[in-house]
Structure formats: C-alpha cells, structure tokens
C-alpha cells in the first residue's frame, strides 16, 4: 500500500512536470517528441513513432524512434514522407514492424496525431496504473498541441491585420500623392513605382478606353504588345482577377500568360470602366493573394482618376484658354459629384448642388457598396476658393477608396479625419454626414461629424434630427469616440440633408432663411418625390434672397421611403 502511494505521487509529479514543459512551448514537433520520450521512459519501450493527419483520411509519419523499416513505402524517393491512406492501413503496417499500441491524440473529436508504441521490455502487459498514465499523457499532449495551433492561428491573424493596416496606409499615401499630379508622365511614373514597391512587379500595361472603337495602350512595360484579341475580351472583366482564377475566360488566360501577364483589373471612375491595368508576375515569382488583388484594383482606380483629372484639366485649359482659376476649379468640382443616382427598391433618392459664383467645398455622394447597401454622404469644407475645392476632392477620393473596404462608419470617419489633419492647415476643417442605407431592412446607420443635423420627417409629421456623431473632421489628430446612430424608415418617411448654404442664405435685409422657413417649405411638399422636394426648397431659398447674389453653395439630398 505504501509503495502504491509512492508510485502514484511519483506519477503525479512526473505528469505535472511533463505538462509544465509542454506549456512552455508552441513547437508541435517538440510537444510530440516529449510525449514519445515520456511514454517510452515510463513503459520502458524501445520503439515508437508519431503519425499526423495528412489530407483526407491520410496519415504521415513525422517522428520515428527505434527500428522501423518503412523503406518499402517510400517508392523511389528516400526523403519523401511516408503517407498512409487510413488509420487502419497505418495499424496494419506498423503491427508488421512490431508496434502494438496506438494512442490517438484527440481534442474535441478531432484527431490531432496518433502515437504508436512497440511492446514493453519482456513483452509485459500494460498495468492499470500505466493505462491511466498513458491516457493522461495523451490528454495533456492534445491540449498542448491545440494551444500551439491556437497560438499559430493568432499569429497569422495578427499578421493579416498588420498587412491590412499597411495596405490602408499605402492606399492613403498613394491617393494623396496622385492627387497632386497633373502630368500623365508623372502619374504613370508614380504608378510604376507603386507597383514595384508594393507588389514587386516591374511589368505592367495601361489601356484606356477610346470611344466605342477599343482601347489605346498608353504605356506598356511588357516585352511584347498586348494581343488585339486581349482587348476584345476585356469587356467582361468587372473586378481584378488573376490568371489562376478558374472563372477567367480560357482564351484570355492563354493570351495573358503569353505576354507574361498575371493580373488584369478594370480601372473605374465613379463606377464606369475607363481602362484596364495588366500586371505581370512578381519578381520573386510568388503568387498574388486577395490583398494584392484589392490593392491592384484600388491603385488602378486611383490612377485612372488622376489620369481623368489630368485629361479634364487639359481639356478645360485648352477649351477656355485659361479663362481663370476659379472657373476651371468650379468645373472640376462639378465633376466630383455623382453622375447618376442609384435605383433603390422602395426608395426615392436625389441630390442637387448649386455652386455659388465662387468655387466652394460643398459635396455629396452616393456609393453602391459590394454588400448591396448604399453609402450616402454630404459635407461642407470651411472656406472658399481653390483650397476648399481641392480639399473636398481629396475627401471624395478617400471616401470612394475606403467605402468598399470592410470597415465601420466610425473607422471611415477617423481615417478621413487623419488624412485632412495631416494634409491641411489648422484653419481647415469639414462638416460631414455619412450614412449607410440597408434597403432590405429600411434601416439607416449614420455618423454626424459636426454637420447640420438632417431632418427625419415621419409620415405623421413628427420631426427628428439626426445628431449622433461627434466633432468636425480635421479639428484634431487624436482619435475621437464618434457615436453611431440608427433609424428605421417607414413608408412615407423622408430624410432631408443639407449644407448651411440653405438655411443661412441671406436676403437684402441681412436676415437668414433659417430652419423654421426650411421646415415650412418641406411641409408644403411632404408627399412629393425627392427631386420635387429639393427643387421646392431651392425655389423658396432663391425667392427669399431676392436680388441678393448667391453667396454660398446650396446642396441638398433627399431620401424618401416609398
């Protein structure tokens, strides 16, 4: 009895020491090797091996101690891992080599490994105490292996998040740099440097839409010209895709590989394809992953926006013979507004912006997201003239770059805030209202960054102001805890969004139009469609101003639940 207790204490101390050693490491091979040595030492066994799952129902030998002749399974490559096609096959073959015990290492019904042991010295049987020891060692080993895998999984997730943050930072820097370029050569040079620095790709080509007749190859860094058949097959490409994607047209895949192309990505401006970017293989020879595709697509869209701005700039300068900085900037500002309004089931959406005589910083946008939701934004930059216009252009570019990414509204506002803070003087800021419409739920999620609170006017006449949010954008670089608001719209409800050019319009007596007159105008047309409602308010504002010239931009957006 005394000896039995001593043995139990020794076993308990041994198991505690074993468990402590395994919990000090995340090396799976070390864990399995320690388990083998512990079992071999305890049972006085001279041969053992470990098998791990490999593909479906396959196992391979990764550790082997003692005499185990598996050369007949290695085919012609002596360094090739031994692969066994089922646990039954493994037991059959290992028994032929003198193995008698097979201990599965299981965690939550998943087999992580199988330990196989030879017979004890003198072919003695395993005692009940030894069976308990074996069971506890297997349990400890299973937990240690699972901890190691969890640790590995967390490291991979951390790396993925860091890569994503690096991607966002790079995209911000690229968007900022492109926005300062007005030369096609400079834009293409920047594109080349970015592809080489971020994707390690030195070969690329840019093809721009040329009316209805095809594409112009404006730059080609491949050793051969893009085949004409490639141009004819690009029309079906809607997003960045690699030649390894099984959904790619086979003929297009063949033609791209022929010129050493690996990625083809449409270059879009406000949802319209204006060209294509073809990227060659990485200089390292490695594959392109999903983040590479996202970066390539965003980079292509940013570059084509810069090229379009460069083209528009040249056209305006040539057309108007440099009639003036303000007139040119005003035209560019108009081009930043949506060209069309999304068609949304059960909703009526419209937006109008009327510039003043001077270039300003009013802005609104509608962005269709990959999820089927609609992002609606309206903003107003402090000040007037070219600086306000350029700042709002940067905000618009950043918003369209960030909107398709899987980030929250608060994260989006914070990133735009940091961009404004880092790239403007202290006296520049933006009031901004950003909302996401989920048409299926008739639900609006929004953040109000110091903007005029939009009115949610219910069918029964109740009026709510959408105030949830926080500070204006560009006020500080410190992260601010913006508050998100959520409202549900019923049939007959509508939301009226506006800039201060509406309610702060002055008449000849220097009186403001004000919020009360604004609500009176809205109530007169509360059953009208969205565009009629906007036009009614604009007419009332102009009538109120009389002969006084428009001093500020007037911008309104209406979302109505049908």
């Amino acid at each position: 009895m005394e000896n039995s207790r001593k043995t139990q204490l020794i076993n308990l101390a041994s198991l505690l020491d074993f468990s402590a050693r395994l919990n000090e490491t995340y090396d799976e091979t070390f864990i399995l090797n320690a388990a083998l040595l512990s079992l071999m030492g305890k049972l006085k066994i001279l041969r053992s091996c470990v098998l791990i799952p490999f593909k479906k129902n396959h196992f391979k030998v990764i550790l082997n101690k003692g005499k185990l002749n598996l050369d007949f399974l290695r085919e012609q490559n002596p360094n090739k891992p031994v692969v066994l096609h089922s646990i039954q096959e493994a037991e059959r073959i290992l028994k032929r080599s003198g193995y008698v015990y097979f201990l599965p290492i299981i965690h939550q019904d998943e087999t992580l490994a199988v330990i196989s042991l030879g017979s004890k010295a003198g072919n003695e049987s395993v005692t009940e105490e030894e069976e308990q020891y074996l069971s506890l060692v297997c349990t400890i080993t299973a937990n240690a292996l699972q901890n190691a895998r969890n640790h590995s999984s967390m490291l991979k997730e951390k790396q993925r998040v860091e890569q994503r943050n690096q991607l966002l930072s790079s995209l911000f820097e690229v968007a900022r740099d492109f926005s300062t370029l007005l030369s096609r050569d400079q834009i293409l040079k920047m594109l080349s440097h970015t592809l080489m620095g971020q994707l390690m790709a030195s070969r690329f080509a840019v093809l721009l839409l040329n009316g209805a007749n095809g594409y112009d190859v404006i730059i080609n860094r491949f050793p051969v010209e893009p085949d004409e058949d490639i141009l004819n097959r690009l029309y079906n490409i809607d997003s960045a895709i690699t030649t390894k994607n099984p959904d790619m047209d086979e003929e297009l895949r063949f033609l791209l590989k022929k010129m050493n192309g690996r990625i083809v990505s449409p270059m879009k401006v406000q949802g319209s394809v204006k060209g294509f970017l073809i990227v060659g293989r990485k200089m390292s020879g490695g594959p392109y992953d999903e983040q590479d595709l996202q970066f390539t697509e965003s980079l292509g869209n940013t570059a084509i926006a810069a090229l379009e701005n460069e083209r528009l700039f040249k056209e305006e300068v040539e057309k108007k013979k440099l009639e003036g900085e303000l007139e040119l900037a005003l035209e560019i500002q108009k081009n930043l507004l949506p060209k069309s309004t999304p068609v949304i089931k059960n909703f009526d959406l419209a937006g109008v912006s009327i510039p003043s005589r001077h270039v300003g910083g009013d802005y609104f946008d509608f962005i269709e997201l990959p999820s089927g939701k609609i992002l609606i934004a309206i903003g107003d930059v402090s000040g007037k003239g070219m600086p306000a216009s350029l700042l709002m252009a940067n905000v618009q570019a950043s918003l369209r770059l960030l909107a398709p990414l899987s980030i929250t509204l608060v994260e989006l506002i914070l990133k735009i805030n940091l961009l404004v803070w880092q790239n403007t003087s202290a006296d520049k800021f933006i009031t901004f209202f950003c909302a996401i419409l989920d048409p299926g739920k008739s639900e609006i999620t929004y953040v109000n960054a110091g903007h005029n609170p939009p009115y949610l006017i219910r069918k029964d006449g109740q009026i709510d102001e959408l105030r949830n949010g926080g500070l204006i954008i560009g006020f500080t670089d410190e992260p601010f805890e913006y508050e998100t608001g959520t409202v549900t719209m019923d049939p007959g409800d509508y939301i009226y969004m506006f800039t201060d050019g509406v309610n702060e319009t002055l008449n000849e007596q220097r009186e403001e139009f004000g919020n009360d007159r604004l609500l009176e105008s809205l109530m007169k047309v509360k059953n009208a469609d969205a565009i009629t409602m906007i036009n009614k308010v604009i007419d009332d504002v102009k009538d109120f101003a009389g002969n006084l010239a428009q001093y500020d931009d007037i911008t309104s957006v209406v979302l109505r639940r049908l």
Side-chain angles (χ1 to χ4, degrees):
M1 188 71 173
E2 183 72 23
N3 290 335
S4 175
R5 289 176 180 172
K6 288 182 179 179
T7 302
Q8 290 175 355
L9 289 173
I10 291 172
N11 285 343
L12 180 59
S14 174
L15 287 169
L16 289 173
D17 178 65
F18 174 69
S19 176
R21 280 192 296 133
L22 295 196
N23 287 325
E24 290 175 351
T25 182
Y26 296 114
D27 186 331
E28 294 188 30
T29 302
F30 176 87
I31 293 170
L32 291 169
N33 191 60
L36 279 188
L37 294 176
S38 177
L39 294 174
M40 292 175 70
K42 173 66 178 176
L43 276 66
K44 297 182 175 57
I45 290 173
L46 299 180
R47 72 173 61 177
S48 64
C49 67
V50 174
L51 300 89
I52 61 171
F54 177 66
K55 296 182 180 179
K56 186 177 181 180
N57 298 324
H58 287 51
F59 290 81
K60 63 180 178 181
V61 178
I62 61 165
L63 290 175
N64 174 30
K65 298 185 182 299
K67 185 179 180 181
L68 175 62
N69 184 8
L70 297 175
D71 290 343
F72 64 97
L73 292 175
R74 297 185 188 274
E75 299 177 356
Q76 299 179 7
N77 186 353
N79 296 318
K80 185 178 180 180
V82 176
V83 178
L84 303 169
H85 296 85
S86 68
I87 193 61
Q88 292 79 12
E89 179 186 7
E91 290 186 14
R92 184 173 65 254
I93 292 174
L94 292 174
K95 283 180 179 179
R96 286 164 51 189
S97 298
Y99 288 77
V100 295
Y101 302 112
F102 299 91
L103 310 175
I105 307 300
I106 299 174
H107 184 273
Q108 294 184 351
D109 298 328
E110 179 186 359
T111 300
L112 306 180
V114 177
I115 294 179
S116 182
L117 303 173
S119 59
K120 293 177 61 177
N123 292 322
E124 295 181 6
S125 299
V126 175
T127 65
E128 181 178 347
E129 178 188 328
E130 289 171 334
E131 285 185 1
Q132 293 177 351
Y133 187 85
L134 289 173
S135 176
L136 289 171
V137 166
C138 289
T139 300
I140 293 170
T141 303
N143 290 332
L145 284 175
Q146 188 60 40
N147 287 339
R149 294 186 179 186
N150 289 341
H151 180 261
S152 177
S153 177
M154 286 191 296
L155 288 179
K156 289 180 181 178
E157 180 63 19
K158 179 184 176 183
Q159 184 181 22
R160 189 190 68 80
V161 171
E162 289 175 348
Q163 289 175 343
R164 188 173 185 84
N165 288 339
Q166 178 62 37
L167 173 66
L168 285 173
S169 297
S170 298
L171 289 176
F172 268 119
E173 292 174 5
V174 169
R176 180 192 62 198
D177 294 340
F178 271 117
S179 68
T180 64
L181 302 177
L182 285 175
S183 163
R184 174 179 287 195
D185 290 341
Q186 289 178 323
I187 293 169
L188 294 176
K189 186 176 182 180
M190 175 70 70
L191 177 60
S192 177
H193 289 168
T194 305
L195 286 171
M196 185 176 293
Q198 195 71 28
L199 298 182
M200 298 300 293
S202 60
R203 304 287 189 182
F204 73 97
V206 175
L207 292 67
L208 293 188
L209 184 64
N210 179 15
N213 300 322
Y215 294 91
D216 291 329
V217 181
I218 66 168
I219 187 170
N220 178 31
R221 295 286 174 81
F222 290 102
V224 296
E225 288 294 317
D227 193 289
E228 186 175 345
D229 287 341
I230 290 180
L231 309 184
N232 296 331
R233 292 177 178 274
L234 289 177
Y235 290 97
N236 295 324
I237 303 297
D238 186 59
S239 59
I241 186 173
T242 70
T243 52
K244 289 189 175 182
N245 193 313
D247 294 334
M248 178 176 280
D249 175 76
E250 287 297 331
E251 182 65 21
L252 179 59
R253 189 197 323 275
F254 171 78
L255 294 170
L256 286 172
K257 286 187 174 181
K258 186 178 177 181
M259 64 178 292
N260 284 324
R262 293 295 182 269
I263 294 179
V264 58
S265 177
M267 303 173 76
K268 299 180 180 180
V269 176
Q270 295 187 349
S272 299
V273 176
K274 298 294 184 180
F276 282 90
L277 173 63
I278 300 175
V279 182
R281 66 180 182 85
K282 289 186 177 182
M283 290 183 285
S284 64
Y288 288 104
D289 58 23
E290 186 61 31
Q291 284 194 345
D292 291 332
L293 285 178
Q294 291 178 6
F295 183 85
T296 301
E297 189 164 335
S298 296
L299 177 63
N301 291 342
T302 303
I304 194 64
L307 288 170
E308 279 289 287
N309 284 340
E310 182 261 355
R311 181 182 66 82
L312 290 172
F313 182 83
K314 282 186 175 180
E315 287 181 358
E316 290 299 321
V317 169
E318 183 66 24
K319 180 180 177 181
K320 298 191 177 183
K321 302 296 182 182
L322 299 177
E323 291 178 344
E325 180 188 79
L326 292 179
E327 184 176 354
L328 177 60
L330 179 59
E331 192 64 26
I332 293 175
Q333 184 179 10
K334 290 179 180 178
N335 289 331
L336 295 177
L337 299 177
K339 295 285 191 301
S340 60
T341 301
V343 177
I344 312 170
K345 185 178 180 181
N346 296 326
F347 284 89
D348 181 20
L349 177 64
V352 171
S353 183
I354 302 176
S356 65
R357 292 178 301 167
H358 304 288
V359 177
D362 273 14
Y363 163 68
F364 73 92
D365 213 347
F366 311 136
I367 302 175
E368 297 181 73
L369 304 180
S371 63
K373 299 177 182 179
I374 306 295
L375 186 147
I376 303 171
I378 187 170
D380 188 1
V381 175
S382 65
K384 301 185 184 300
M386 182 69 81
S389 177
L390 290 177
L391 178 55
M392 187 51 78
N394 274 328
V395 171
Q396 187 251 17
S398 301
L399 181 64
R400 288 194 162 269
L401 194 67
L402 290 168
L405 302 180
S406 299
I407 59 177
T408 65
L409 274 178
V410 172
E411 290 173 325
L412 184 147
I413 293 292
L414 288 174
K415 291 182 183 300
I416 294 178
N417 174 74
L418 189 60
L419 176 71
V420 173
W421 172 267
Q422 292 175 341
N423 292 277
T424 60
S425 57
D427 62 335
K428 288 288 181 284
F429 58 87
I430 300 173
T431 67
F432 197 72
F433 179 87
C434 192
I436 292 180
L437 166 65
D438 185 339
K441 297 180 179 179
S442 297
E443 187 177 82
I444 295 284
T445 303
Y446 72 91
V447 172
N448 189 334
H451 195 72
N452 298 82
Y455 292 117
L456 169 58
I457 302 178
R458 302 291 186 181
K459 185 178 181 180
D460 61 5
Q462 177 185 336
I463 300 173
D464 295 321
E465 294 182 348
L466 305 186
R467 292 183 172 273
N468 290 31
L471 286 175
I472 55 180
I473 292 176
F475 180 77
T476 176
D477 61 343
E478 294 294 328
F480 184 86
E481 294 185 4
Y482 286 91
E483 180 183 4
T484 302
T486 302
V487 294
T488 301
M489 299 182 68
D490 296 322
D493 295 348
Y494 61 88
I495 296 176
Y496 180 80
M497 299 162 245
F498 60 101
T499 60
D500 57 15
V502 176
N503 60 333
E504 292 181 7
T505 290
L506 300 176
N507 63 12
E508 296 176 6
Q509 288 74 43
R510 313 305 294 175
E511 297 173 329
E512 284 191 354
F513 184 72
N515 293 333
D516 291 340
R517 289 188 179 88
L518 173 57
L519 288 173
E520 289 176 7
S521 294
L522 291 173
M523 289 303 180
K524 293 176 184 176
V525 286
K526 62 181 181 180
N527 296 320
D529 58 25
I531 192 63
T532 300
M533 190 174 295
I534 290 174
N535 290 333
K536 170 60 178 173
V537 172
I538 291 174
D539 290 343
D540 287 352
V541 168
K542 289 183 175 180
D543 289 343
F544 176 81
N547 296 324
L548 199 65
Q550 181 181 334
Y551 178 74
D552 199 359
D553 297 351
I554 295 175
T555 301
S556 301
V557 173
V558 168
L559 175 67
R560 185 177 183 84
R561 173 74 164 88
L562 301 177

